[in-house]
Amino acid sequence: MEARTLRLALLHQTKGASRVLLRQFLQFDPSLEFVFSLSLKELTSNFNLSSKRASTFLTHLHSDSNRKQLLINLSECALLPFWHPNYPKLLRGIPDAPLLLYAKGDLKLLGMDSYLSIVGTRKCSNLALASVKKVLPPLLNEGFVIVSGMAEGIDSIAHDVTVELGGKTIAILGFGFQYCYPKANQPLMQTLAQDQLLLSEYAPHIPPRKWHFPERNRIISGLSFGTLVVEAKERSGTLITVDQALEQGREVFAIPGSILNDFSSGCNKMIQDGAKLVQNAHDILEEWRE
């Protein structure tokens, strides 16, 4: 593995680092060599860090525990810095693209031609399951890779049905590979790690945190040409992914539902606001082919 990737990985997992700070480092010196000789004064004056944060950063950066953790992480997964040839092209173009991705599974899935994200509510209806089973087969036959977040509900259904139908799927996680959330998805996670692909912005030893999930949504939408919402309430975390997709210039699709079903209100509102109504896979393929 090239030295610059190792330096980025070490910095990425160092306490006190952030995406903003790492971008500043890369802008100052793309090789990242200079960071390892920085003094506390240089960190505070040149990168606008507080003395406390700068001290925490430097102490952890040069610690044996940090280097040992990097070796463990390297043994558990592949690293994809944003300059790597296998780094997803569409994702590289979004605002605040991840500087480093941790990958586990079939890396060939990152070189496919077409990706579609499927998201929705965590508490979904049987009708939602039937809708996914209706829409997916023609898309998989066309070679689409299905992207989702391995959350409870629609996300898990999208992964499960894709695997069941012999298709390909990528799960974007809001935590490191040493964890699983929800815990009930442990068997699914193992299946995806073995035969499909897991991607995370978080090093393997990083546990799930509440704010990680909105952050990972930009990757779910950014990896795909479009996002399909199957079921969502009008006020739903799913809409964060939709907002990200719109900001990224991606297509947004929604499956309509009954006005009597609370879990359809978000989709119906999205359609009212301009999302493409999806009755079958053709409605998605039509946009893809244009």
Side-chain angles (χ1 to χ4, degrees):
M1 187 174 293
E2 66 160 354
R4 183 166 65 141
T5 297
L6 291 174
R7 287 192 285 269
L8 176 60
L10 189 64
L11 290 165
H12 192 260
Q13 67 181 36
T14 298
K15 293 175 183 175
S18 67
R19 297 199 298 274
V20 172
L21 181 60
L22 292 182
R23 287 184 191 283
Q24 289 176 327
F25 287 161
L26 283 161
Q27 189 172 16
F28 191 86
D29 175 15
S31 76
L32 295 174
E33 290 183 68
F34 84 105
V35 181
F36 295 87
S37 60
L38 284 175
S39 66
L40 183 67
K41 184 178 180 181
E42 287 170 326
L43 262 180
T44 54
S45 59
N46 295 340
F47 298 97
N48 200 29
L49 297 186
S50 67
S51 294
K52 183 179 179 181
R53 183 179 168 192
S55 178
T56 298
F57 174 81
L58 283 180
T59 300
H60 192 230
L61 176 63
H62 297 292
S63 69
D64 289 339
S65 64
N66 200 23
R67 282 167 170 73
K68 286 177 183 176
Q69 185 62 63
L70 177 61
L71 292 175
I72 293 170
N73 292 343
L74 289 172
S75 71
E76 292 187 4
C77 59
L79 302 184
L80 294 175
F82 70 94
W83 59 78
H84 195 283
N86 286 344
Y87 189 99
K89 292 177 184 177
L90 276 177
L91 186 61
R92 190 183 281 124
I94 71 168
D96 194 21
L99 295 173
L100 183 66
L101 289 171
Y102 301 87
K104 201 169 191 177
D106 186 359
L107 291 178
K108 293 194 296 294
L109 295 189
L110 294 175
M112 309 300 276
D113 294 325
S114 44
Y115 300 86
L116 178 73
S117 298
I118 297 182
V119 297
T121 181
R122 282 173 167 77
K123 295 181 180 179
C124 56
S125 67
N126 290 332
L127 191 60
L129 172 58
S131 298
V132 172
K133 286 187 172 181
K134 177 182 177 180
V135 169
L136 269 183
L139 296 172
L140 298 179
N141 288 340
E142 287 284 334
F144 270 86
V145 176
I146 303 305
V147 180
S148 200
M150 211 185 77
E152 185 182 359
I154 296 298
D155 288 27
S156 296
I157 285 173
H159 295 306
D160 276 329
V161 173
T162 299
V163 171
E164 196 178 293
L165 295 172
K168 297 298 181 182
T169 184
I170 299 173
I172 312 298
L173 307 182
F175 46 86
F177 299 140
Q178 292 174 11
Y179 296 86
C180 182
Y181 183 84
K183 288 185 178 179
N185 271 354
Q186 189 73 55
L188 173 61
M189 187 172 172
Q190 289 172 349
T191 296
L192 298 180
Q194 184 174 338
D195 302 316
Q196 307 291 335
L197 183 63
L198 301 174
L199 286 181
S200 180
E201 189 178 14
Y202 308 101
H205 65 287
I206 302 298
R209 300 289 186 220
K210 188 176 180 180
W211 61 88
H212 289 177
F213 296 96
E215 285 182 343
R216 68 94 199 261
N217 288 350
R218 80 190 194 286
I219 304 175
I220 294 175
S221 56
L223 189 57
S224 308
F225 103 97
T227 294
L228 170 64
V229 185
V230 179
E231 271 188 346
K233 287 187 173 182
E234 198 162 340
R235 292 185 179 182
S236 163
T238 301
L239 302 186
I240 296 173
T241 310
V242 172
D243 288 342
Q244 296 278 9
L246 291 171
E247 286 177 17
Q248 294 162 355
R250 305 296 195 255
E251 300 289 343
V252 176
F253 306 95
I255 294 177
S258 168
I259 61 172
L260 303 177
N261 181 2
D262 230 15
F263 291 103
S264 295
S265 59
C267 288
N268 293 343
K269 181 69 166 58
M270 276 186 273
I271 292 166
Q272 200 172 44
D273 290 342
K276 180 160 185 175
L277 185 153
V278 170
Q279 298 184 86
N280 52 52
H282 174 74
D283 296 321
I284 296 170
L285 292 171
E286 189 177 52
E287 295 297 324
W288 168 249
R289 289 166 180 157
E290 282 189 0

Short mmCIF file of all heavy atoms in Angstrom, two decimals, residues 42-95:
data_model
loop_
_atom_site.label_atom_id
_atom_site.label_comp_id
_atom_site.label_asym_id
_atom_site.label_seq_id
_atom_site.Cartn_x
_atom_site.Cartn_y
_atom_site.Cartn_z
N GLU A 42 2.45 25.41 15.57
CA GLU A 42 2.13 25.44 14.14
C GLU A 42 0.70 24.98 13.87
O GLU A 42 0.01 25.53 13.01
CB GLU A 42 3.12 24.56 13.37
CG GLU A 42 4.51 25.16 13.26
CD GLU A 42 5.52 24.17 12.70
OE1 GLU A 42 5.39 22.96 12.98
OE2 GLU A 42 6.45 24.62 12.01
N LEU A 43 0.26 23.98 14.62
CA LEU A 43 -1.12 23.50 14.46
C LEU A 43 -2.13 24.57 14.85
O LEU A 43 -3.12 24.78 14.16
CB LEU A 43 -1.34 22.26 15.33
CG LEU A 43 -1.24 20.89 14.66
CD1 LEU A 43 -1.49 19.80 15.68
CD2 LEU A 43 -2.23 20.76 13.50
N THR A 44 -1.89 25.23 15.96
CA THR A 44 -2.84 26.24 16.43
C THR A 44 -2.82 27.49 15.56
O THR A 44 -3.88 28.05 15.26
CB THR A 44 -2.54 26.63 17.90
OG1 THR A 44 -1.17 27.04 18.01
CG2 THR A 44 -2.81 25.47 18.84
N SER A 45 -1.65 27.90 15.12
CA SER A 45 -1.57 29.15 14.35
C SER A 45 -1.94 28.97 12.87
O SER A 45 -2.60 29.82 12.27
CB SER A 45 -0.17 29.75 14.46
OG SER A 45 0.80 28.84 13.97
N ASN A 46 -1.54 27.85 12.28
CA ASN A 46 -1.77 27.66 10.84
C ASN A 46 -3.10 27.01 10.51
O ASN A 46 -3.61 27.16 9.39
CB ASN A 46 -0.65 26.80 10.24
CG ASN A 46 0.70 27.47 10.29
OD1 ASN A 46 0.78 28.68 10.42
ND2 ASN A 46 1.77 26.69 10.20
N PHE A 47 -3.68 26.28 11.47
CA PHE A 47 -4.91 25.54 11.17
C PHE A 47 -6.06 25.88 12.12
O PHE A 47 -7.06 25.18 12.17
CB PHE A 47 -4.63 24.03 11.18
CG PHE A 47 -3.63 23.63 10.12
CD1 PHE A 47 -2.28 23.47 10.44
CD2 PHE A 47 -4.03 23.46 8.80
CE1 PHE A 47 -1.36 23.13 9.46
CE2 PHE A 47 -3.11 23.12 7.82
CZ PHE A 47 -1.77 22.96 8.15
N ASN A 48 -5.87 26.96 12.86
CA ASN A 48 -6.95 27.52 13.67
C ASN A 48 -7.54 26.50 14.66
O ASN A 48 -8.76 26.45 14.86
CB ASN A 48 -8.08 28.05 12.75
CG ASN A 48 -8.97 29.05 13.47
OD1 ASN A 48 -8.52 29.75 14.38
ND2 ASN A 48 -10.23 29.11 13.07
N LEU A 49 -6.68 25.69 15.26
CA LEU A 49 -7.14 24.74 16.27
C LEU A 49 -6.91 25.31 17.67
O LEU A 49 -5.95 26.05 17.90
CB LEU A 49 -6.36 23.42 16.16
CG LEU A 49 -6.49 22.61 14.87
CD1 LEU A 49 -5.75 21.29 15.04
CD2 LEU A 49 -7.93 22.37 14.50
N SER A 50 -7.78 24.95 18.60
CA SER A 50 -7.56 25.33 19.99
C SER A 50 -6.36 24.55 20.52
O SER A 50 -6.01 23.49 19.99
CB SER A 50 -8.79 25.01 20.84
OG SER A 50 -8.97 23.60 20.91
N SER A 51 -5.73 25.06 21.56
CA SER A 51 -4.56 24.38 22.13
C SER A 51 -4.94 22.99 22.61
O SER A 51 -4.17 22.03 22.45
CB SER A 51 -4.00 25.19 23.29
OG SER A 51 -3.48 26.40 22.83
N LYS A 52 -6.12 22.86 23.20
CA LYS A 52 -6.58 21.57 23.73
C LYS A 52 -6.75 20.55 22.60
O LYS A 52 -6.27 19.41 22.70
CB LYS A 52 -7.89 21.74 24.48
CG LYS A 52 -8.40 20.47 25.11
CD LYS A 52 -9.71 20.70 25.87
CE LYS A 52 -10.22 19.39 26.47
NZ LYS A 52 -11.50 19.59 27.20
N ARG A 53 -7.42 20.97 21.52
CA ARG A 53 -7.64 20.04 20.41
C ARG A 53 -6.32 19.69 19.73
O ARG A 53 -6.08 18.53 19.37
CB ARG A 53 -8.61 20.65 19.40
CG ARG A 53 -8.94 19.72 18.25
CD ARG A 53 -9.91 20.35 17.29
NE ARG A 53 -9.99 19.59 16.05
CZ ARG A 53 -10.60 20.04 14.95
NH1 ARG A 53 -11.20 21.22 14.94
NH2 ARG A 53 -10.62 19.29 13.86
N ALA A 54 -5.47 20.67 19.54
CA ALA A 54 -4.18 20.43 18.89
C ALA A 54 -3.32 19.47 19.71
O ALA A 54 -2.65 18.58 19.17
CB ALA A 54 -3.44 21.75 18.68
N SER A 55 -3.35 19.64 21.03
CA SER A 55 -2.58 18.78 21.91
C SER A 55 -3.10 17.34 21.86
O SER A 55 -2.32 16.38 21.78
CB SER A 55 -2.66 19.31 23.34
OG SER A 55 -1.97 18.46 24.23
N THR A 56 -4.44 17.20 21.88
CA THR A 56 -5.05 15.87 21.78
C THR A 56 -4.67 15.20 20.46
O THR A 56 -4.30 14.02 20.42
CB THR A 56 -6.59 15.97 21.86
OG1 THR A 56 -6.95 16.52 23.14
CG2 THR A 56 -7.26 14.62 21.68
N PHE A 57 -4.74 15.97 19.39
CA PHE A 57 -4.41 15.46 18.06
C PHE A 57 -2.97 14.97 17.99
O PHE A 57 -2.70 13.84 17.55
CB PHE A 57 -4.67 16.55 17.02
CG PHE A 57 -4.23 16.18 15.63
CD1 PHE A 57 -5.03 15.39 14.82
CD2 PHE A 57 -3.00 16.61 15.14
CE1 PHE A 57 -4.62 15.04 13.54
CE2 PHE A 57 -2.58 16.27 13.86
CZ PHE A 57 -3.39 15.48 13.06
N LEU A 58 -2.03 15.79 18.42
CA LEU A 58 -0.61 15.43 18.32
C LEU A 58 -0.27 14.23 19.20
O LEU A 58 0.48 13.34 18.79
CB LEU A 58 0.25 16.63 18.70
CG LEU A 58 0.41 17.72 17.64
CD1 LEU A 58 1.29 18.84 18.17
CD2 LEU A 58 0.99 17.16 16.36
N THR A 59 -0.82 14.22 20.41
CA THR A 59 -0.53 13.11 21.32
C THR A 59 -1.01 11.78 20.74
O THR A 59 -0.28 10.79 20.74
CB THR A 59 -1.21 13.35 22.69
OG1 THR A 59 -0.72 14.57 23.25
CG2 THR A 59 -0.94 12.20 23.65
N HIS A 60 -2.24 11.79 20.20
CA HIS A 60 -2.79 10.55 19.66
C HIS A 60 -2.12 10.18 18.33
O HIS A 60 -1.88 9.00 18.05
CB HIS A 60 -4.30 10.68 19.46
CG HIS A 60 -4.97 9.37 19.18
ND1 HIS A 60 -5.84 9.18 18.13
CD2 HIS A 60 -4.87 8.16 19.80
CE1 HIS A 60 -6.25 7.93 18.12
NE2 HIS A 60 -5.69 7.29 19.11
N LEU A 61 -1.80 11.18 17.51
CA LEU A 61 -1.17 10.92 16.22
C LEU A 61 0.13 10.12 16.38
O LEU A 61 0.40 9.19 15.63
CB LEU A 61 -0.88 12.24 15.51
CG LEU A 61 -0.12 12.14 14.17
CD1 LEU A 61 -0.94 11.38 13.14
CD2 LEU A 61 0.24 13.53 13.65
N HIS A 62 0.92 10.49 17.38
CA HIS A 62 2.24 9.88 17.55
C HIS A 62 2.24 8.72 18.56
O HIS A 62 3.31 8.23 18.92
CB HIS A 62 3.25 10.94 17.97
CG HIS A 62 3.46 12.01 16.93
ND1 HIS A 62 4.07 11.75 15.72
CD2 HIS A 62 3.10 13.32 16.91
CE1 HIS A 62 4.09 12.87 15.00
NE2 HIS A 62 3.51 13.83 15.69
N SER A 63 1.06 8.30 18.99
CA SER A 63 0.99 7.23 20.00
C SER A 63 1.15 5.86 19.37
O SER A 63 0.80 5.64 18.21
CB SER A 63 -0.35 7.30 20.74
OG SER A 63 -1.41 6.94 19.87
N ASP A 64 1.68 4.92 20.16
CA ASP A 64 1.79 3.53 19.70
C ASP A 64 0.42 2.91 19.48
O ASP A 64 0.23 2.11 18.56
CB ASP A 64 2.56 2.70 20.74
CG ASP A 64 4.04 3.05 20.78
OD1 ASP A 64 4.53 3.61 19.78
OD2 ASP A 64 4.69 2.77 21.80
N SER A 65 -0.55 3.30 20.32
CA SER A 65 -1.90 2.72 20.21
C SER A 65 -2.55 3.07 18.87
O SER A 65 -3.26 2.26 18.27
CB SER A 65 -2.78 3.20 21.36
OG SER A 65 -2.97 4.61 21.30
N ASN A 66 -2.27 4.27 18.38
CA ASN A 66 -2.85 4.69 17.10
C ASN A 66 -2.27 3.87 15.96
O ASN A 66 -2.98 3.42 15.05
CB ASN A 66 -2.59 6.18 16.88
CG ASN A 66 -3.53 6.80 15.84
OD1 ASN A 66 -4.63 6.29 15.60
ND2 ASN A 66 -3.11 7.90 15.25
N ARG A 67 -0.97 3.64 16.00
CA ARG A 67 -0.32 2.84 14.95
C ARG A 67 -0.75 1.37 15.01
O ARG A 67 -0.94 0.72 13.98
CB ARG A 67 1.19 2.98 15.08
CG ARG A 67 1.70 4.30 14.51
CD ARG A 67 3.13 4.60 14.90
NE ARG A 67 3.64 5.74 14.13
CZ ARG A 67 3.28 7.00 14.33
NH1 ARG A 67 2.39 7.28 15.25
NH2 ARG A 67 3.78 7.99 13.59
N LYS A 68 -0.90 0.84 16.22
CA LYS A 68 -1.37 -0.54 16.37
C LYS A 68 -2.78 -0.69 15.82
O LYS A 68 -3.11 -1.68 15.18
CB LYS A 68 -1.32 -0.95 17.84
CG LYS A 68 0.08 -1.20 18.36
CD LYS A 68 0.07 -1.54 19.84
CE LYS A 68 1.48 -1.72 20.36
NZ LYS A 68 1.50 -1.96 21.85
N GLN A 69 -3.62 0.34 16.09
CA GLN A 69 -4.99 0.30 15.59
C GLN A 69 -5.01 0.32 14.06
O GLN A 69 -5.82 -0.38 13.43
CB GLN A 69 -5.79 1.49 16.13
CG GLN A 69 -7.28 1.47 15.77
CD GLN A 69 -7.98 0.27 16.34
OE1 GLN A 69 -8.07 0.11 17.55
NE2 GLN A 69 -8.51 -0.59 15.47
N LEU A 70 -4.12 1.08 13.46
CA LEU A 70 -4.04 1.12 12.00
C LEU A 70 -3.70 -0.26 11.45
O LEU A 70 -4.30 -0.71 10.46
CB LEU A 70 -3.00 2.14 11.55
CG LEU A 70 -2.77 2.23 10.04
CD1 LEU A 70 -4.05 2.65 9.32
CD2 LEU A 70 -1.64 3.21 9.72
N LEU A 71 -2.77 -0.95 12.06
CA LEU A 71 -2.40 -2.30 11.60
C LEU A 71 -3.58 -3.25 11.70
O LEU A 71 -3.80 -4.08 10.80
CB LEU A 71 -1.21 -2.83 12.43
CG LEU A 71 0.12 -2.11 12.22
CD1 LEU A 71 1.17 -2.65 13.18
CD2 LEU A 71 0.59 -2.24 10.78
N ILE A 72 -4.35 -3.14 12.78
CA ILE A 72 -5.55 -3.98 12.93
C ILE A 72 -6.54 -3.67 11.82
O ILE A 72 -7.10 -4.56 11.18
CB ILE A 72 -6.19 -3.77 14.32
CG1 ILE A 72 -5.27 -4.28 15.42
CG2 ILE A 72 -7.55 -4.47 14.40
CD1 ILE A 72 -5.70 -3.89 16.82
N ASN A 73 -6.76 -2.37 11.58
CA ASN A 73 -7.71 -1.96 10.55
C ASN A 73 -7.29 -2.46 9.16
O ASN A 73 -8.12 -2.91 8.37
CB ASN A 73 -7.85 -0.43 10.52
CG ASN A 73 -8.53 0.11 11.77
OD1 ASN A 73 -9.17 -0.65 12.52
ND2 ASN A 73 -8.39 1.39 12.02
N LEU A 74 -6.00 -2.39 8.89
CA LEU A 74 -5.49 -2.84 7.59
C LEU A 74 -5.70 -4.34 7.39
O LEU A 74 -5.86 -4.80 6.26
CB LEU A 74 -4.00 -2.51 7.47
CG LEU A 74 -3.64 -1.04 7.31
CD1 LEU A 74 -2.13 -0.85 7.40
CD2 LEU A 74 -4.16 -0.47 6.00
N SER A 75 -5.71 -5.08 8.48
CA SER A 75 -5.90 -6.52 8.39
C SER A 75 -7.37 -6.90 8.20
O SER A 75 -7.68 -8.03 7.83
CB SER A 75 -5.37 -7.21 9.65
OG SER A 75 -6.20 -6.94 10.77
N GLU A 76 -8.27 -5.94 8.45
CA GLU A 76 -9.71 -6.25 8.43
C GLU A 76 -10.42 -5.80 7.15
O GLU A 76 -11.51 -6.28 6.86
CB GLU A 76 -10.40 -5.59 9.63
CG GLU A 76 -10.01 -6.18 10.96
CD GLU A 76 -10.83 -5.62 12.10
OE1 GLU A 76 -11.76 -4.81 11.84
OE2 GLU A 76 -10.54 -5.98 13.25
N CYS A 77 -9.83 -4.88 6.41
CA CYS A 77 -10.57 -4.32 5.27
C CYS A 77 -9.61 -3.67 4.28
O CYS A 77 -8.42 -3.51 4.55
CB CYS A 77 -11.59 -3.29 5.75
SG CYS A 77 -10.87 -1.92 6.67
N ALA A 78 -10.17 -3.26 3.15
CA ALA A 78 -9.41 -2.51 2.15
C ALA A 78 -9.63 -1.02 2.37
O ALA A 78 -10.67 -0.60 2.88
CB ALA A 78 -9.88 -2.90 0.75
N LEU A 79 -8.64 -0.23 2.00
CA LEU A 79 -8.74 1.23 2.11
C LEU A 79 -8.83 1.85 0.72
O LEU A 79 -8.05 1.50 -0.16
CB LEU A 79 -7.51 1.80 2.83
CG LEU A 79 -7.19 1.29 4.24
CD1 LEU A 79 -6.01 2.05 4.80
CD2 LEU A 79 -8.39 1.43 5.15
N LEU A 80 -9.77 2.76 0.57
CA LEU A 80 -9.93 3.45 -0.71
C LEU A 80 -9.87 4.96 -0.49
O LEU A 80 -10.87 5.60 -0.17
CB LEU A 80 -11.28 3.10 -1.34
CG LEU A 80 -11.50 1.64 -1.78
CD1 LEU A 80 -12.93 1.45 -2.27
CD2 LEU A 80 -10.52 1.27 -2.88
N PRO A 81 -8.68 5.57 -0.64
CA PRO A 81 -8.61 7.03 -0.59
C PRO A 81 -9.27 7.61 -1.83
O PRO A 81 -9.47 6.91 -2.83
CB PRO A 81 -7.10 7.30 -0.59
CG PRO A 81 -6.52 6.13 -1.29
CD PRO A 81 -7.38 4.95 -0.94
N PHE A 82 -9.60 8.88 -1.78
CA PHE A 82 -10.37 9.48 -2.88
C PHE A 82 -9.61 9.50 -4.20
O PHE A 82 -10.20 9.66 -5.26
CB PHE A 82 -10.85 10.89 -2.50
CG PHE A 82 -9.76 11.91 -2.42
CD1 PHE A 82 -9.44 12.70 -3.51
CD2 PHE A 82 -9.05 12.10 -1.24
CE1 PHE A 82 -8.43 13.65 -3.43
CE2 PHE A 82 -8.03 13.04 -1.14
CZ PHE A 82 -7.72 13.82 -2.24
N TRP A 83 -8.28 9.33 -4.14
CA TRP A 83 -7.50 9.30 -5.40
C TRP A 83 -7.35 7.88 -5.96
O TRP A 83 -6.78 7.70 -7.02
CB TRP A 83 -6.12 9.93 -5.17
CG TRP A 83 -5.30 9.24 -4.12
CD1 TRP A 83 -4.60 8.07 -4.24
CD2 TRP A 83 -5.09 9.68 -2.77
NE1 TRP A 83 -3.97 7.75 -3.05
CE2 TRP A 83 -4.25 8.72 -2.13
CE3 TRP A 83 -5.51 10.80 -2.03
CZ2 TRP A 83 -3.84 8.84 -0.80
CZ3 TRP A 83 -5.10 10.90 -0.71
CH2 TRP A 83 -4.28 9.94 -0.11
N HIS A 84 -7.85 6.88 -5.26
CA HIS A 84 -7.70 5.49 -5.70
C HIS A 84 -8.52 5.23 -6.97
O HIS A 84 -9.64 5.74 -7.10
CB HIS A 84 -8.18 4.55 -4.58
CG HIS A 84 -7.75 3.12 -4.76
ND1 HIS A 84 -8.38 2.27 -5.65
CD2 HIS A 84 -6.76 2.40 -4.16
CE1 HIS A 84 -7.80 1.09 -5.59
NE2 HIS A 84 -6.82 1.14 -4.70
N PRO A 85 -8.01 4.46 -7.93
CA PRO A 85 -8.76 4.20 -9.17
C PRO A 85 -10.09 3.48 -8.94
O PRO A 85 -11.00 3.60 -9.76
CB PRO A 85 -7.79 3.33 -10.00
CG PRO A 85 -6.76 2.83 -9.05
CD PRO A 85 -6.66 3.86 -7.97
N ASN A 86 -10.22 2.74 -7.83
CA ASN A 86 -11.48 2.05 -7.55
C ASN A 86 -12.48 2.90 -6.78
O ASN A 86 -13.61 2.46 -6.53
CB ASN A 86 -11.22 0.77 -6.73
CG ASN A 86 -10.61 -0.33 -7.59
OD1 ASN A 86 -10.64 -0.26 -8.81
ND2 ASN A 86 -10.02 -1.32 -6.95
N TYR A 87 -12.07 4.11 -6.39
CA TYR A 87 -12.99 5.00 -5.67
C TYR A 87 -14.13 5.36 -6.63
O TYR A 87 -13.90 5.73 -7.78
CB TYR A 87 -12.26 6.25 -5.23
CG TYR A 87 -13.03 7.15 -4.30
CD1 TYR A 87 -12.82 7.11 -2.92
CD2 TYR A 87 -13.97 8.08 -4.77
CE1 TYR A 87 -13.50 7.95 -2.05
CE2 TYR A 87 -14.66 8.91 -3.92
CZ TYR A 87 -14.43 8.84 -2.55
OH TYR A 87 -15.12 9.68 -1.70
N PRO A 88 -15.39 5.25 -6.18
CA PRO A 88 -16.53 5.49 -7.08
C PRO A 88 -16.50 6.87 -7.72
O PRO A 88 -16.39 7.89 -7.03
CB PRO A 88 -17.75 5.35 -6.15
CG PRO A 88 -17.27 4.53 -5.00
CD PRO A 88 -15.82 4.88 -4.82
N LYS A 89 -16.59 6.91 -9.04
CA LYS A 89 -16.47 8.17 -9.78
C LYS A 89 -17.57 9.17 -9.43
O LYS A 89 -17.32 10.36 -9.24
CB LYS A 89 -16.48 7.89 -11.29
CG LYS A 89 -15.25 7.15 -11.78
CD LYS A 89 -15.35 6.84 -13.26
CE LYS A 89 -14.14 6.03 -13.73
NZ LYS A 89 -14.24 5.65 -15.16
N LEU A 90 -18.81 8.69 -9.39
CA LEU A 90 -19.92 9.60 -9.07
C LEU A 90 -19.74 10.21 -7.68
O LEU A 90 -20.01 11.39 -7.46
CB LEU A 90 -21.25 8.86 -9.14
CG LEU A 90 -21.92 8.71 -10.50
CD1 LEU A 90 -23.20 7.89 -10.38
CD2 LEU A 90 -22.25 10.08 -11.10
N LEU A 91 -19.31 9.38 -6.74
CA LEU A 91 -19.16 9.84 -5.36
C LEU A 91 -18.06 10.88 -5.24
O LEU A 91 -18.18 11.83 -4.46
CB LEU A 91 -18.84 8.64 -4.46
CG LEU A 91 -18.80 8.91 -2.95
CD1 LEU A 91 -20.15 9.40 -2.45
CD2 LEU A 91 -18.38 7.65 -2.19
N ARG A 92 -17.00 10.72 -6.02
CA ARG A 92 -15.88 11.66 -5.96
C ARG A 92 -16.32 13.09 -6.29
O ARG A 92 -15.72 14.06 -5.82
CB ARG A 92 -14.77 11.22 -6.93
CG ARG A 92 -13.48 11.99 -6.77
CD ARG A 92 -12.44 11.57 -7.80
NE ARG A 92 -11.79 10.31 -7.44
CZ ARG A 92 -11.75 9.25 -8.22
NH1 ARG A 92 -12.33 9.27 -9.41
NH2 ARG A 92 -11.13 8.15 -7.83
N GLY A 93 -17.39 13.23 -7.06
CA GLY A 93 -17.82 14.54 -7.51
C GLY A 93 -18.77 15.28 -6.58
O GLY A 93 -19.13 16.43 -6.85
N ILE A 94 -19.18 14.67 -5.47
CA ILE A 94 -20.15 15.35 -4.60
C ILE A 94 -19.44 16.33 -3.68
O ILE A 94 -18.25 16.18 -3.39
CB ILE A 94 -20.99 14.35 -3.77
CG1 ILE A 94 -20.12 13.68 -2.68
CG2 ILE A 94 -21.67 13.33 -4.66
CD1 ILE A 94 -20.93 12.91 -1.65
N PRO A 95 -20.16 17.33 -3.17
CA PRO A 95 -19.57 18.20 -2.15
C PRO A 95 -19.23 17.36 -0.91
O PRO A 95 -20.00 16.49 -0.52
CB PRO A 95 -20.69 19.20 -1.84
CG PRO A 95 -21.62 19.12 -3.01
CD PRO A 95 -21.53 17.72 -3.52
#
